[in-house]
Every structure is written in C-alpha cells, then in structure tokens.
Amino acid sequence: MAEHLSQSELDYPFKLLEYFNGFRISKAIFSACELGVFDLLLQSQKPMSAVEVAQKLGTSEDGVERLLDVLVAIEIVDVEVVQGTAFYSSTDVANQYLAKTSPKSLHDLIIYNSQTIYPLWNNLVDAVREGKNQNEKTFGLPSEEIFSAIYRSEEEMLKFMGLMNSTWVIDGHDIVTAFDLSNFKTVIDLGGCSGALARELAKEYPSSTVTVLDLPAVVQTAQRHFAQQDDTICFQEGDFFEGEIPPADLYILARIIHDWKEDKNLKLLKKIHAACPPGGGVLIAEALLFENRRGPTMVQMFSLNMLVQTEGKEHPPSHYTHLLTDAGFRDVQVCRTGKSYDAILALK
C-alpha cells in the first residue's frame, strides 16, 4: 500500500482512518432511512430543529441531533444555525435518492443493505476462512440453498425485489441502450424479478414484446406490489434452471451469472443457446472487474459480497467471453457503461 499512498499518508494515516470509519457512515445513512429522516425533511415546508425532528419521529433529541450532524458533515443534509439553534433541511441528492416517494429512490436498496447485507458481513472473516456464504450462520438457513435464504419470507422477498427494482430504476436505461436491440422483437428477461429492467427495455423499444420469466412466488409478488398502470410488459411463471425456456429473439440475464458457479452458468447458457433462433442473442448485465485486478473498487466489493451471500463472484470481460463462446455464442461485445453495471451482448 505504501508505494501507492503519498508521503503525508505515511506521516499520518488519514486515508486509512477514513476507510476504517466507512461502515459508520453507511450505517448512519441506513439508520436515517429506516427512521424516516429524509422523508420528513422533504415533506417539511421549512427547516426543522432537532427537537422538532425528534418529536415527529419519536426519537431522542440528542440521538437525532448527532445523526443529523453526521448527515450534514457528509453533505446529505443542510444546516443553518439561527440564534444558537440548528435548523436542518434536505438536499437535492437526499430528495432524489433517499426519500421513499422519489421515482429514483434508493430507499429499498438501502433497507436491504442495512437489514440483510450488513448482518451477513458481520461474518466476513468466516466467509473468507471457509470459502462459502454465511447464510447458515447469519439466518440459520443452509448455505447451499441461496434463494431459500434470500426469499426466506414474503417480507424478505419484498426487500430483495425492492433492491432489484431500485437498481434498475437508476441503471436500467444504460443497460438497455448499451447496444441497439431494436432487431430483437421478442425479449425474455430471465429472473427479471420486479420487472424494472424489462420496463426500461419496453420503453426504449416499444415495438418489442418483453416478458419477465421468474419463479411463481416472485411473479405473483411482482404483480401485487410492483405492477404499473401503464405496463406493457408481461409476466410468466417458470424456472429457467429446471424448466423449459420459451422461445425468444433475445434473452436477458441481469445479475444472474454472478450468483452461481461456472458449471451451472455454462449449463444455463447452453440451454439458452439451444432455445435461441439463429441471429438471436443473450444480453448479460453484470458489474465487470478490470482485467488487471485493480478495480473497480465497488465491483471488488460486490465480488466479496457474492462470497458472503451466494455461490458466485464478479468477473472481468474475458471470463464472460470465454463462457459465452464455450456455450456456442459468437460476436461477443462488451460495453462498460461507466455506472454500477455493464452490458455484454452475444449472438447465436
């Protein structure tokens, strides 16, 4: 590390101390979301004192004041001191991404990270030692049954689906526009969960028929909780690992490959290749590592999270190229979007 940090960092470890405190910053934001701080500040017609916030949220004045001051320090909340009293107000960033009511809200993603991912990461040492996920230690569920843990109750299923929905609300457009998909008239999003990515594709390519295929319980939950009045997408119950894959011009695998071991992924891709017509293809959305293993940091963190929660990991583009080629696909193209997730398109 020393050769990559400045001399000043060797004199005093400012950057290291910032890293050490990273979990505290995350948890402060998570807690503010869970308490409803950002929704309250957005709804308020004027800046609020800590006393007013505490009364509205049913918290201690001292505790909420300290939390608000942290949010000010990391520039998520604004403050103005008038005659010795601090008055807090929301920022544009908080209004857009942290309040529940925003169309681009990441609230569900934050709740999932706080209540599901955070407890799993408490067992990171064991995950590294054992080389397997920590669902059993964290939730008392077998490590082999990944989605039994993720979907262990209707509440947990909703949290996960909310996470996926938040993800594609902000990243979906970049995925569906990474390549020109207008020639694919029938599209099936395998494991499309809430339908958020499918909706982005349907909006961009209105002449295409877009279907989400997922497990029956997921489809039913999606239709109850995530359906939109102007929906043009369809839902179909099925299991793309165990059951048949319906015919389509294009299949989407978004954040699917990174959950599983290579042999299972190869079997799935061969199955998709067999169902795919000549000229058809598969679109993969995943977070791509650099080939030199030097980042991106967020993707390396995602890969560590896959160890803690699933059977899989994140990969560089060359891995997907080899995997798709081995499955029979050709003309593999990679597009780095510059956001959280990247796109890979391969044709039959």
Side-chain angles (χ1 to χ4, degrees), residues 86-346:
F87 290 91
Y88 302 91
S89 57
S90 198
T91 62
D92 291 342
V93 168
N95 290 341
Q96 181 157 317
Y97 293 114
L98 303 178
K100 283 184 192 176
T101 52
S102 168
K104 291 191 174 181
S105 177
L106 300 179
H107 183 271
D108 289 344
L109 182 152
I110 289 167
I111 295 302
Y112 190 80
N113 273 282
S114 181
Q115 298 180 1
T116 301
I117 301 300
Y118 202 90
L120 280 163
W121 276 65
N122 283 332
N123 295 310
L124 178 60
V125 169
D126 292 320
V128 172
R129 280 196 183 120
E130 299 164 7
K132 68 177 186 178
N133 69 61
Q134 295 300 300
N135 288 317
E136 187 167 2
K137 194 163 291 180
T138 310
F139 305 119
L141 295 165
S143 60
E144 299 81 15
E145 299 176 17
I146 298 171
F147 276 86
S148 293
I150 291 174
Y151 294 155
R152 60 190 179 276
S153 67
E154 185 174 359
E155 180 185 2
E156 289 301 318
M157 180 180 285
L158 268 173
K159 283 182 193 175
F160 179 78
M161 294 177 74
L163 158 76
M164 297 301 290
N165 203 69
S166 294
T167 297
W168 299 128
V169 163
I170 62 167
D171 284 304
H173 182 262
D174 292 293
I175 296 299
V176 302
T177 57
F179 307 102
D180 181 3
L181 306 176
S182 58
N183 288 332
F184 302 109
K185 296 307 179 186
T186 55
V187 182
I188 296 181
D189 187 355
L190 299 170
C193 204
S194 70
L197 183 60
R199 288 187 185 93
E200 290 296 323
L201 193 142
K203 281 190 286 187
E204 191 66 28
Y205 306 100
S207 64
S208 296
T209 300
V210 186
T211 301
V212 171
L213 187 144
D214 215 317
L215 298 171
V218 176
V219 167
Q220 292 158 23
T221 303
Q223 291 174 322
R224 282 199 304 272
H225 297 279
F226 295 95
Q228 296 183 4
Q229 206 165 24
D230 58 349
D231 257 348
T232 59
I233 63 171
C234 305
F235 285 88
Q236 182 175 341
E237 297 179 3
D239 183 336
F240 52 83
F241 279 116
E242 301 299 330
E244 290 187 8
I245 294 179
D249 297 326
L250 179 71
Y251 297 94
I252 298 176
L253 290 172
R255 296 184 67 183
I256 301 293
I257 298 292
H258 75 164
D259 287 335
W260 308 102
K261 295 185 185 296
E262 187 165 350
D263 57 344
K264 188 165 185 172
N265 286 326
L266 182 57
K267 184 179 178 182
L268 173 60
L269 287 169
K270 285 181 175 178
K271 189 175 180 180
I272 292 170
H273 184 269
C276 204
V282 60
L283 177 70
I284 293 174
E286 294 287 2
L288 295 177
L289 290 166
F290 295 146
E291 297 289 351
N292 65 7
R293 305 178 72 88
R294 291 183 177 273
T297 303
M298 183 167 67
V299 183
Q300 289 170 324
M301 288 294 185
F302 286 168
S303 196
L304 201 54
N305 189 72
M306 292 299 100
L307 171 66
V308 172
Q309 192 177 22
T310 71
E311 294 179 0
K313 62 195 302 186
E314 309 299 347
H315 301 282
S318 59
H319 175 88
Y320 291 101
T321 299
H322 293 147
L323 193 62
L324 287 160
T325 302
D326 288 347
F329 288 96
R330 59 178 175 81
D331 297 336
V332 180
Q333 303 173 66
V334 176
C335 176
R336 289 190 180 272
T337 66
K339 308 285 179 63
S340 295
Y341 296 96
D342 305 302
I344 302 164
L345 179 67

Side-chain angles (χ1 to χ4, degrees), residues 35 40 50-61 64:
L35 289 166
L40 178 63
V51 173
E52 293 170 321
V53 173
Q55 288 174 344
K56 290 286 188 181
L57 298 180
T59 67
S60 70
E61 177 189 336
V64 86

